[in-house]
Amino acid sequence: MRVRSRTENPSRPVPTAAERKQSGGARLAQVDALRGFALFGILMVNITYMASAYHGTGLEDPGLGGPPSEVVRGLVAVFFEAKFFLLFSFLFGYSFTLQIDSAERRGARFAPRFLRRLTGLFVIGVVHAVVLFPGDILTLYAVLGLILFALRRVRPRTAVRIAIALLAVAAIGFGLLALAVGQAGGDGGTSPSAASAAAQATEALRGGPGSVIGAHLEQLPDVVLLLAFFQAPSALAAFLLGLAAGRRRALADPDRHLKLLRRLQWAGFTVGLLGGIVYADASRNHPGTAYQLFALGLDIVTAPLLAAAYAATVLRLAHGRYGRAVVTTLAPAGRMSLTNYLGQSLVCALIFTGFGAALVGRVAPIGVAGIALVLFAAQTVASRWWLRHHAYGPLEWLLRAWTTLSIPTWRSQGATGSPRP
């Protein structure tokens, strides 16, 4: 079923109450569908790190080589790595504007609620990083959310300019670092101790709960550096782009922006994809070199284009012949994104670490990708079933209770659409 919202006046960023009522459900369904799609991409990346302690080191996991494994690793690096967290970040900024509007309509104080929400995300993220997966994104979102809150009143055009500046500065920084490493002759590849460290981490992750948590704690310093210098500038830029899009209600009626969506697809599937290929080649075949640093800088400016192309494609599909199927499949998982995100880590921990089967380093990449596909398919089915009976996902309900300091509705009243933001 094709859903249209009332055409909005571009010069009026805040719609009337009648427009909100008519377009709100469709808008939220599209946002949830995009979030569900982003959740799938994040799983495809995170599971590779949980399945092998060698992933990201530039070293091949012993016993998991061969042409099929190389192909799968390459595809994940090109099409998934460093792309989907950007889409998730954009939606965080977009939903931020919906939360502001929702609070204003109800006459609620937005600031205390949002700050409580950030503290809740931070606490959940810390537990997630220590117990299940060090590569947690929730703590980063909680910290960057404070900056987003401080910039909440900037104009859309200003937000876009700040976002572009952030990406440019980060990319130039990596370029200068690559130049310095190249001039110093620091193209020695991976450290000799990297293989030993990865082997020790593998054994620790196959141990008991204490051993697994200890391995996570050892990995956290490196993860924090990655988040601070690579993901944080890009995530904040995506926040601000989402804020600008939310102010303009860009997702309320994508049919109004078909020309822009086509341009994003063209740019993303050409320039963005080329950047992804360079990034994958450098990270897999030339780790620790000036070339890899250059590729990271290039990826900072090209990955957003590929992420935007993905978003444009999903939006066009959602408003096309198969729109009903796309939204029905993806939106429930997106509505329960927090529960599903942590649920993915829990299932993967039970499969790959000593919390369960301890299969880390024992499943080939093609098998890992298959597990990800099956797990996400199961989550789409489970999410749809759950939301037929409940108003929120379990962790969404808990976070909302803390955010509002009240007891939210638990049982669904029969509606399968998206709840209020």
Coordinates of all heavy atoms in Angstrom, one line a residue, residues 254-348:
P254 N 8.8 11.3 0.7 CA 10.0 11.2 -0.2 C 9.6 11.5 -1.6 O 10.5 11.8 -2.4 CB 10.4 9.7 0.0 CG 10.0 9.4 1.4 CD 8.7 10.1 1.5
D255 N 8.4 11.3 -2.0 CA 8.0 11.6 -3.4 C 8.3 13.1 -3.8 O 8.5 13.4 -5.0 CB 6.5 11.4 -3.6 CG 6.2 9.9 -3.7 OD1 7.1 9.1 -3.8 OD2 5.0 9.5 -3.6
R256 N 8.3 14.0 -2.8 CA 8.7 15.3 -3.1 C 10.2 15.5 -3.4 O 10.6 16.6 -3.9 CB 8.3 16.2 -1.9 CG 6.8 16.4 -1.6 CD 6.6 17.2 -0.3 NE 7.3 18.5 -0.5 CZ 8.0 19.1 0.5 NH1 8.2 18.4 1.6 NH2 8.5 20.2 0.3
H257 N 11.0 14.5 -3.1 CA 12.4 14.7 -3.2 C 13.0 13.6 -4.1 O 14.1 13.1 -3.9 CB 13.1 14.6 -1.8 CG 12.5 15.5 -0.8 ND1 12.7 16.9 -0.8 CD2 11.7 15.3 0.2 CE1 12.1 17.4 0.2 NE2 11.4 16.5 0.8
L258 N 12.2 13.1 -5.1 CA 12.7 12.1 -6.0 C 14.0 12.4 -6.7 O 14.9 11.6 -6.9 CB 11.6 11.7 -7.0 CG 10.4 10.9 -6.4 CD1 9.4 10.6 -7.5 CD2 10.9 9.5 -5.9
K259 N 14.1 13.6 -7.2 CA 15.3 14.0 -7.9 C 16.5 14.0 -6.9 O 17.6 13.5 -7.3 CB 15.2 15.5 -8.4 CG 16.4 16.0 -9.2 CD 16.2 17.4 -9.7 CE 15.3 17.4 -10.9 NZ 15.3 18.8 -11.5
L260 N 16.4 14.4 -5.7 CA 17.4 14.3 -4.7 C 17.8 12.9 -4.4 O 19.0 12.5 -4.3 CB 17.1 15.1 -3.5 CG 18.1 15.0 -2.3 CD1 19.4 15.5 -2.7 CD2 17.5 15.7 -1.1
L261 N 16.8 12.0 -4.3 CA 17.0 10.6 -4.0 C 17.8 10.0 -5.1 O 18.7 9.2 -4.9 CB 15.7 9.9 -3.7 CG 14.9 10.3 -2.5 CD1 13.6 9.5 -2.4 CD2 15.8 10.1 -1.2
R262 N 17.4 10.3 -6.3 CA 18.2 9.7 -7.5 C 19.6 10.2 -7.5 O 20.5 9.4 -7.8 CB 17.5 10.1 -8.8 CG 16.1 9.5 -9.0 CD 15.6 9.7 -10.4 NE 14.2 9.3 -10.6 CZ 13.2 10.1 -10.6 NH1 13.4 11.4 -10.5 NH2 12.0 9.6 -10.7
R263 N 19.8 11.5 -7.2 CA 21.2 12.0 -7.2 C 22.0 11.3 -6.1 O 23.2 11.0 -6.3 CB 21.2 13.5 -6.9 CG 20.7 14.3 -8.1 CD 20.6 15.8 -7.8 NE 20.2 16.6 -9.0 CZ 19.9 17.9 -9.0 NH1 20.1 18.5 -7.8 NH2 19.6 18.5 -10.0
L264 N 21.4 11.1 -4.9 CA 22.1 10.4 -3.8 C 22.5 9.0 -4.2 O 23.6 8.5 -3.9 CB 21.2 10.4 -2.6 CG 21.1 11.7 -1.9 CD1 20.1 11.6 -0.7 CD2 22.4 12.3 -1.3
Q265 N 21.6 8.3 -4.9 CA 21.9 7.0 -5.4 C 23.0 7.0 -6.4 O 23.9 6.1 -6.3 CB 20.6 6.3 -6.0 CG 19.6 5.9 -5.0 CD 18.3 5.3 -5.7 OE1 17.7 6.0 -6.5 NE2 18.0 4.1 -5.4
W266 N 23.0 7.9 -7.3 CA 24.1 8.0 -8.3 C 25.4 8.3 -7.6 O 26.4 7.6 -7.9 CB 23.7 9.1 -9.3 CG 24.8 9.2 -10.4 CD1 24.7 8.5 -11.6 CD2 26.0 9.9 -10.4 NE1 25.8 8.8 -12.4 CE2 26.6 9.7 -11.7 CE3 26.6 10.8 -9.5 CZ2 27.8 10.3 -12.0 CZ3 27.8 11.4 -9.9 CH2 28.4 11.2 -11.1
A267 N 25.4 9.3 -6.7 CA 26.7 9.6 -6.1 C 27.2 8.5 -5.2 O 28.4 8.2 -5.1 CB 26.5 10.9 -5.3
G268 N 26.3 7.9 -4.4 CA 26.6 6.8 -3.5 C 27.1 5.6 -4.2 O 28.1 5.0 -3.8
F269 N 26.5 5.2 -5.3 CA 26.8 3.9 -5.9 C 28.0 4.1 -6.9 O 28.3 3.2 -7.7 CB 25.6 3.3 -6.6 CG 24.6 2.8 -5.6 CD1 23.3 3.1 -5.7 CD2 25.0 2.0 -4.5 CE1 22.3 2.7 -4.8 CE2 24.1 1.5 -3.6 CZ 22.7 1.9 -3.7
T270 N 28.5 5.3 -7.0 CA 29.7 5.5 -7.8 C 30.9 6.0 -6.9 O 31.7 5.2 -6.6 CB 29.4 6.6 -8.9 OG1 28.9 7.8 -8.3 CG2 28.4 6.0 -10.0
V271 N 30.8 7.2 -6.5 CA 31.9 7.8 -5.7 C 32.0 7.1 -4.3 O 33.0 6.7 -3.9 CB 31.7 9.3 -5.5 CG1 32.8 9.8 -4.6 CG2 31.7 10.0 -6.8
G272 N 30.8 6.9 -3.7 CA 30.8 6.2 -2.4 C 31.3 4.8 -2.5 O 32.1 4.3 -1.6
L273 N 30.9 4.1 -3.5 CA 31.3 2.7 -3.7 C 32.8 2.6 -4.0 O 33.5 1.7 -3.5 CB 30.5 2.0 -4.8 CG 30.8 0.5 -5.0 CD1 30.5 -0.3 -3.7 CD2 29.9 0.0 -6.1
L274 N 33.3 3.5 -4.8 CA 34.8 3.6 -5.1 C 35.6 3.8 -3.8 O 36.6 3.1 -3.5 CB 35.1 4.7 -6.1 CG 36.5 4.9 -6.4 CD1 37.1 3.6 -7.1 CD2 36.7 6.1 -7.4
G275 N 35.1 4.7 -2.9 CA 35.8 4.9 -1.7 C 35.7 3.6 -0.8 O 36.7 3.3 -0.1
G276 N 34.6 2.9 -0.8 CA 34.5 1.7 -0.1 C 35.5 0.6 -0.6 O 36.1 -0.2 0.2
I277 N 35.7 0.6 -1.9 CA 36.7 -0.4 -2.4 C 38.1 0.0 -2.0 O 38.9 -0.9 -1.6 CB 36.6 -0.4 -4.0 CG1 35.2 -1.0 -4.4 CG2 37.7 -1.2 -4.6 CD1 35.0 -0.8 -5.9
V278 N 38.5 1.2 -2.0 CA 39.8 1.7 -1.6 C 40.0 1.3 -0.1 O 41.0 0.8 0.3 CB 40.0 3.2 -1.8 CG1 41.3 3.6 -1.2 CG2 40.0 3.4 -3.3
Y279 N 38.9 1.7 0.7 CA 39.0 1.4 2.2 C 39.2 -0.1 2.4 O 40.0 -0.5 3.3 CB 37.7 1.9 2.8 CG 37.4 1.3 4.2 CD1 38.0 1.9 5.3 CD2 36.6 0.2 4.4 CE1 37.8 1.3 6.6 CE2 36.4 -0.4 5.6 CZ 37.0 0.2 6.7 OH 36.7 -0.3 8.0
A280 N 38.4 -1.0 1.7 CA 38.5 -2.4 1.9 C 39.9 -2.9 1.5 O 40.5 -3.7 2.3 CB 37.5 -3.1 1.1
D281 N 40.5 -2.5 0.4 CA 41.8 -2.9 0.0 C 42.8 -2.5 1.0 O 43.7 -3.3 1.3 CB 42.1 -2.3 -1.4 CG 43.5 -2.7 -1.9 OD1 43.8 -3.9 -2.0 OD2 44.3 -1.7 -2.0
A282 N 42.8 -1.3 1.5 CA 43.8 -0.8 2.4 C 43.7 -1.5 3.7 O 44.7 -1.9 4.3 CB 43.6 0.7 2.6
S283 N 42.5 -1.6 4.3 CA 42.4 -2.2 5.6 C 42.7 -3.7 5.6 O 43.2 -4.2 6.6 CB 40.9 -2.0 6.1 OG 40.0 -2.6 5.3
R284 N 42.5 -4.4 4.5 CA 42.7 -5.8 4.5 C 44.1 -6.2 4.0 O 44.6 -7.2 4.4 CB 41.6 -6.5 3.6 CG 40.2 -6.4 4.2 CD 39.2 -7.0 3.2 NE 39.4 -8.4 3.0 CZ 39.8 -8.9 1.8 NH1 39.9 -8.1 0.8 NH2 39.9 -10.2 1.7
N285 N 44.6 -5.4 3.1 CA 45.9 -5.8 2.4 C 47.1 -4.9 2.8 O 48.2 -5.3 2.6 CB 45.7 -5.8 0.9 CG 44.7 -6.7 0.4 OD1 44.5 -7.8 0.9 ND2 43.9 -6.3 -0.6
H286 N 46.8 -3.7 3.4 CA 47.9 -2.8 3.8 C 47.7 -2.2 5.1 O 47.7 -1.0 5.3 CB 48.0 -1.7 2.7 CG 48.1 -2.2 1.3 ND1 49.4 -2.6 0.8 CD2 47.2 -2.5 0.3 CE1 49.2 -3.0 -0.5 NE2 47.9 -3.0 -0.8
P287 N 47.5 -3.0 6.2 CA 47.2 -2.5 7.5 C 48.4 -1.8 8.1 O 49.6 -2.2 7.8 CB 46.8 -3.7 8.3 CG 47.5 -4.9 7.6 CD 47.5 -4.5 6.2
G288 N 48.2 -0.8 8.8 CA 49.3 -0.1 9.5 C 50.2 0.8 8.6 O 51.3 1.2 9.0
T289 N 49.7 1.0 7.4 CA 50.5 1.8 6.4 C 49.9 3.2 6.2 O 48.8 3.5 6.6 CB 50.6 1.1 5.1 OG1 49.3 1.1 4.5 CG2 51.1 -0.3 5.2
A290 N 50.7 4.1 5.6 CA 50.2 5.4 5.2 C 49.0 5.3 4.3 O 48.1 6.1 4.3 CB 51.3 6.2 4.6
Y291 N 49.1 4.3 3.4 CA 47.9 4.0 2.5 C 46.6 3.8 3.3 O 45.6 4.3 2.9 CB 48.3 2.9 1.6 CG 47.1 2.4 0.7 CD1 46.3 3.3 0.0 CD2 46.9 1.1 0.5 CE1 45.3 2.9 -0.9 CE2 45.9 0.6 -0.3 CZ 45.1 1.5 -1.0 OH 44.1 1.1 -1.8
Q292 N 46.7 3.0 4.3 CA 45.5 2.7 5.1 C 45.0 4.0 5.8 O 43.8 4.2 5.8 CB 45.8 1.7 6.2 CG 44.5 1.3 6.9 CD 44.7 0.4 8.1 OE1 45.8 0.5 8.7 NE2 43.7 -0.3 8.5
L293 N 45.9 4.8 6.3 CA 45.4 6.1 6.9 C 44.8 7.0 5.8 O 43.8 7.6 6.1 CB 46.6 6.8 7.5 CG 47.3 6.1 8.8 CD1 48.5 6.8 9.2 CD2 46.3 6.1 9.9
F294 N 45.4 7.0 4.7 CA 44.8 7.8 3.6 C 43.4 7.3 3.2 O 42.4 8.0 3.0 CB 45.7 7.8 2.3 CG 45.0 8.3 1.1 CD1 44.8 9.6 0.9 CD2 44.5 7.3 0.2 CE1 44.2 10.1 -0.3 CE2 43.8 7.8 -1.0 CZ 43.7 9.1 -1.2
A295 N 43.3 5.9 3.2 CA 42.0 5.3 2.9 C 40.9 5.6 3.9 O 39.7 5.8 3.6 CB 42.2 3.8 2.7
L296 N 41.4 5.7 5.2 CA 40.4 6.0 6.3 C 39.9 7.4 6.1 O 38.7 7.7 6.3 CB 41.1 5.9 7.6 CG 41.4 4.4 8.1 CD1 42.2 4.5 9.4 CD2 40.1 3.7 8.3
G297 N 40.8 8.3 5.7 CA 40.4 9.7 5.5 C 39.4 9.8 4.3 O 38.4 10.5 4.3
L298 N 39.7 9.0 3.2 CA 38.9 9.0 2.1 C 37.5 8.4 2.4 O 36.5 8.9 2.0 CB 39.5 8.2 1.0 CG 38.7 8.0 -0.3 CD1 38.6 9.3 -1.0 CD2 39.4 7.0 -1.3
D299 N 37.5 7.4 3.3 CA 36.2 6.7 3.6 C 35.4 7.7 4.4 O 34.1 7.6 4.4 CB 36.5 5.5 4.4 CG 35.3 4.6 4.7 OD1 34.8 4.1 3.7 OD2 34.8 4.6 5.8
I300 N 36.0 8.6 5.2 CA 35.2 9.5 6.0 C 34.3 10.4 5.1 O 33.2 10.7 5.5 CB 36.1 10.4 6.9 CG1 36.6 9.5 8.1 CG2 35.4 11.6 7.4 CD1 37.7 10.2 8.9
V301 N 34.8 10.7 4.0 CA 34.0 11.6 3.1 C 33.2 10.8 2.0 O 32.2 11.4 1.5 CB 34.9 12.6 2.4 CG1 35.5 13.6 3.4 CG2 36.0 11.9 1.5
T302 N 33.5 9.6 1.8 CA 32.8 8.8 0.8 C 31.7 7.9 1.4 O 30.7 7.6 0.7 CB 33.7 8.0 -0.1 OG1 34.5 7.1 0.7 CG2 34.6 8.9 -0.9
A303 N 32.0 7.4 2.6 CA 31.0 6.5 3.2 C 29.7 7.1 3.4 O 28.6 6.4 3.2 CB 31.6 6.0 4.6
P304 N 29.6 8.4 3.8 CA 28.2 9.0 3.9 C 27.5 9.0 2.6 O 26.2 8.9 2.6 CB 28.6 10.4 4.4 CG 29.9 10.3 5.1 CD 30.6 9.3 4.3
L305 N 28.2 9.1 1.5 CA 27.5 9.0 0.2 C 26.9 7.6 0.0 O 25.7 7.5 -0.5 CB 28.4 9.4 -0.9 CG 29.0 10.8 -0.9 CD1 30.0 10.9 -2.1 CD2 27.9 11.8 -1.1
L306 N 27.6 6.6 0.3 CA 27.1 5.2 0.1 C 25.9 5.0 1.1 O 24.9 4.4 0.7 CB 28.2 4.2 0.3 CG 27.8 2.7 -0.1 CD1 27.2 2.6 -1.4 CD2 29.0 1.8 0.0
A307 N 26.1 5.4 2.3 CA 25.0 5.3 3.3 C 23.8 6.0 2.8 O 22.6 5.5 3.0 CB 25.5 5.8 4.7
A308 N 23.9 7.2 2.3 CA 22.8 8.0 1.8 C 22.1 7.3 0.6 O 20.9 7.3 0.4 CB 23.3 9.4 1.3
A309 N 22.9 6.6 -0.3 CA 22.4 5.9 -1.4 C 21.5 4.7 -0.9 O 20.5 4.4 -1.4 CB 23.5 5.4 -2.3
Y310 N 22.0 4.0 0.2 CA 21.2 3.0 0.8 C 19.9 3.5 1.3 O 18.8 2.9 1.0 CB 22.0 2.3 2.0 CG 23.2 1.5 1.6 CD1 24.2 1.3 2.5 CD2 23.3 0.9 0.4 CE1 25.3 0.6 2.2 CE2 24.4 0.1 0.0 CZ 25.4 0.0 0.9 OH 26.5 -0.8 0.6
A311 N 19.9 4.6 2.0 CA 18.7 5.2 2.5 C 17.8 5.6 1.4 O 16.5 5.4 1.5 CB 19.0 6.4 3.4
A312 N 18.3 6.2 0.4 CA 17.5 6.6 -0.8 C 16.8 5.4 -1.4 O 15.6 5.5 -1.8 CB 18.3 7.4 -1.8
T313 N 17.5 4.3 -1.5 CA 17.0 3.1 -2.1 C 15.9 2.6 -1.3 O 14.8 2.2 -1.9 CB 18.1 2.1 -2.3 OG1 19.1 2.6 -3.1 CG2 17.5 0.8 -3.0
V314 N 16.1 2.5 0.0 CA 15.0 1.9 0.9 C 13.8 2.8 0.8 O 12.6 2.3 0.8 CB 15.5 1.8 2.3 CG1 14.4 1.4 3.3 CG2 16.6 0.8 2.4
L315 N 14.0 4.1 0.8 CA 12.8 5.1 0.8 C 12.0 4.9 -0.5 O 10.8 4.9 -0.5 CB 13.3 6.5 1.0 CG 13.7 6.9 2.4 CD1 14.3 8.3 2.3 CD2 12.6 6.9 3.3
R316 N 12.8 4.8 -1.6 CA 12.1 4.6 -2.9 C 11.3 3.3 -3.0 O 10.2 3.2 -3.5 CB 13.1 4.7 -4.0 CG 13.7 6.1 -4.2 CD 14.5 6.3 -5.5 NE 13.6 6.2 -6.6 CZ 14.1 6.2 -7.9 NH1 15.4 6.3 -8.1 NH2 13.2 6.1 -8.9
L317 N 11.9 2.3 -2.4 CA 11.2 1.0 -2.4 C 10.0 1.0 -1.5 O 9.0 0.5 -1.8 CB 12.2 -0.1 -1.9 CG 13.3 -0.6 -2.8 CD1 14.3 -1.5 -2.1 CD2 12.7 -1.2 -4.0
A318 N 10.1 1.8 -0.4 CA 9.0 1.9 0.6 C 7.8 2.6 0.0 O 6.7 2.5 0.4 CB 9.5 2.6 1.9
H319 N 8.1 3.4 -1.1 CA 7.0 4.2 -1.7 C 6.7 3.6 -3.1 O 6.1 4.3 -3.9 CB 7.4 5.7 -1.8 CG 7.1 6.4 -0.6 ND1 6.1 7.3 -0.4 CD2 7.7 6.3 0.7 CE1 6.1 7.8 0.8 NE2 7.1 7.2 1.5
G320 N 7.2 2.4 -3.4 CA 7.0 1.8 -4.7 C 6.0 0.7 -4.6 O 5.2 0.5 -3.6
R321 N 6.1 -0.2 -5.6 CA 5.2 -1.3 -5.7 C 5.3 -2.3 -4.5 O 4.2 -2.9 -4.1 CB 5.5 -2.1 -7.0 CG 4.6 -3.3 -7.2 CD 4.9 -4.0 -8.5 NE 4.8 -3.1 -9.7 CZ 5.1 -3.5 -10.9 NH1 5.6 -4.7 -11.1 NH2 5.0 -2.7 -11.9
Y322 N 6.4 -2.4 -4.0 CA 6.7 -3.4 -2.9 C 6.8 -2.6 -1.5 O 7.4 -3.2 -0.6 CB 7.9 -4.2 -3.1 CG 7.9 -4.9 -4.5 CD1 8.6 -4.5 -5.6 CD2 7.0 -6.0 -4.6 CE1 8.6 -5.1 -6.8 CE2 7.0 -6.7 -5.9 CZ 7.7 -6.2 -6.9 OH 7.7 -6.9 -8.2
G323 N 6.2 -1.4 -1.5 CA 6.4 -0.6 -0.3 C 5.8 -1.3 1.0 O 6.4 -1.3 2.0
R324 N 4.6 -1.9 0.8 CA 4.0 -2.5 2.0 C 4.9 -3.6 2.5 O 5.0 -3.8 3.7 CB 2.6 -3.1 1.6 CG 1.9 -3.7 2.7 CD 0.5 -4.3 2.3 NE -0.2 -4.8 3.4 CZ -1.1 -4.1 4.1 NH1 -1.3 -2.8 3.8 NH2 -1.8 -4.6 5.1
A325 N 5.4 -4.4 1.6 CA 6.3 -5.5 2.1 C 7.5 -5.0 2.8 O 8.0 -5.6 3.8 CB 6.6 -6.4 0.9
V326 N 8.1 -4.0 2.2 CA 9.4 -3.4 2.8 C 9.1 -2.9 4.2 O 9.9 -3.2 5.1 CB 9.9 -2.3 1.9 CG1 11.0 -1.6 2.6 CG2 10.4 -2.9 0.5
V327 N 8.1 -2.1 4.3 CA 7.8 -1.5 5.6 C 7.4 -2.6 6.6 O 7.8 -2.6 7.8 CB 6.7 -0.4 5.5 CG1 6.2 0.1 6.9 CG2 7.2 0.8 4.7
T328 N 6.5 -3.5 6.2 CA 6.1 -4.6 7.1 C 7.2 -5.4 7.6 O 7.2 -5.9 8.8 CB 5.0 -5.5 6.4 OG1 3.9 -4.7 6.0 CG2 4.5 -6.6 7.3
T329 N 8.2 -5.6 6.7 CA 9.3 -6.5 7.1 C 10.3 -5.7 8.0 O 10.8 -6.3 9.1 CB 10.1 -6.9 5.9 OG1 9.2 -7.7 5.1 CG2 11.3 -7.8 6.2
L330 N 10.7 -4.5 7.7 CA 11.7 -3.8 8.4 C 11.3 -2.9 9.6 O 12.0 -2.8 10.5 CB 12.5 -2.9 7.4 CG 13.2 -3.6 6.3 CD1 13.8 -2.6 5.3 CD2 14.3 -4.5 6.8
A331 N 10.1 -2.3 9.5 CA 9.7 -1.4 10.5 C 9.6 -2.0 11.9 O 10.1 -1.3 12.9 CB 8.4 -0.7 10.1
P332 N 9.0 -3.2 12.1 CA 8.9 -3.7 13.5 C 10.3 -3.9 14.1 O 10.5 -3.6 15.3 CB 8.2 -5.0 13.3 CG 7.4 -4.9 12.0 CD 8.3 -4.0 11.1
A333 N 11.3 -4.4 13.3 CA 12.7 -4.5 13.8 C 13.2 -3.1 14.2 O 13.9 -3.0 15.2 CB 13.5 -5.2 12.8
G334 N 12.9 -2.1 13.4 CA 13.4 -0.8 13.7 C 12.8 -0.2 14.9 O 13.4 0.6 15.6
R335 N 11.5 -0.5 15.1 CA 10.8 0.0 16.3 C 11.5 -0.5 17.6 O 11.5 0.1 18.7 CB 9.4 -0.3 16.3 CG 8.5 0.6 15.5 CD 7.0 0.1 15.5 NE 6.5 0.1 16.9 CZ 5.3 -0.4 17.2 NH1 4.6 -1.0 16.3 NH2 5.0 -0.4 18.5
M336 N 12.0 -1.7 17.5 CA 12.6 -2.4 18.6 C 14.2 -2.4 18.5 O 14.8 -3.4 18.8 CB 12.1 -3.8 18.8 CG 10.6 -3.9 19.2 SD 10.0 -5.6 19.2 CE 11.2 -6.4 20.3
S337 N 14.7 -1.3 17.9 CA 16.1 -1.3 17.6 C 17.0 -1.5 18.8 O 18.1 -2.2 18.7 CB 16.5 0.0 16.9 OG 16.2 1.1 17.7
L338 N 16.7 -1.0 19.9 CA 17.6 -1.1 21.1 C 17.6 -2.6 21.6 O 18.6 -3.2 21.8 CB 17.1 -0.2 22.2 CG 17.9 -0.3 23.5 CD1 19.4 0.1 23.3 CD2 17.3 0.6 24.6
T339 N 16.4 -3.2 21.7 CA 16.3 -4.6 22.1 C 17.0 -5.5 21.1 O 17.7 -6.4 21.4 CB 14.8 -5.0 22.2 OG1 14.2 -4.2 23.2 CG2 14.6 -6.4 22.5
N340 N 16.8 -5.2 19.8 CA 17.4 -6.1 18.7 C 18.9 -5.9 18.7 O 19.6 -6.9 18.5 CB 16.7 -5.8 17.4 CG 15.3 -6.4 17.3 OD1 15.1 -7.4 17.8 ND2 14.4 -5.7 16.6
Y341 N 19.3 -4.7 18.8 CA 20.8 -4.4 18.8 C 21.5 -5.2 19.9 O 22.5 -5.9 19.7 CB 21.0 -2.9 19.0 CG 22.5 -2.5 19.2 CD1 23.4 -2.7 18.1 CD2 22.9 -1.9 20.4 CE1 24.7 -2.3 18.3 CE2 24.2 -1.5 20.5 CZ 25.1 -1.7 19.5 OH 26.4 -1.3 19.7
L342 N 21.0 -5.1 21.1 CA 21.6 -5.8 22.2 C 21.3 -7.3 22.1 O 22.1 -8.2 22.5 CB 21.0 -5.3 23.6 CG 21.4 -3.8 23.9 CD1 20.8 -3.4 25.2 CD2 22.9 -3.7 24.0
G343 N 20.1 -7.7 21.6 CA 19.8 -9.1 21.4 C 20.8 -9.7 20.4 O 21.2 -10.9 20.5
Q344 N 21.2 -9.0 19.3 CA 22.2 -9.5 18.4 C 23.5 -9.8 19.1 O 24.1 -10.9 18.9 CB 22.4 -8.5 17.3 CG 21.3 -8.3 16.4 CD 21.4 -7.1 15.4 OE1 22.4 -6.4 15.5 NE2 20.5 -6.9 14.5
S345 N 23.9 -8.9 20.0 CA 25.2 -9.1 20.7 C 25.0 -10.3 21.6 O 26.0 -11.1 21.8 CB 25.6 -7.9 21.5 OG 25.9 -6.8 20.6
L346 N 23.9 -10.5 22.3 CA 23.7 -11.6 23.2 C 23.7 -12.9 22.5 O 24.4 -13.9 22.9 CB 22.3 -11.4 23.9 CG 21.9 -12.6 24.8 CD1 23.0 -12.8 25.9 CD2 20.5 -12.4 25.4
V347 N 23.0 -13.0 21.3 CA 23.0 -14.3 20.6 C 24.4 -14.6 20.1 O 24.9 -15.7 20.1 CB 22.0 -14.2 19.4 CG1 22.2 -15.4 18.5 CG2 20.6 -14.1 19.9
C348 N 25.1 -13.5 19.5 CA 26.5 -13.8 19.0 C 27.4 -14.2 20.1 O 28.3 -15.0 19.9 CB 27.0 -12.5 18.3 SG 26.1 -12.2 16.7

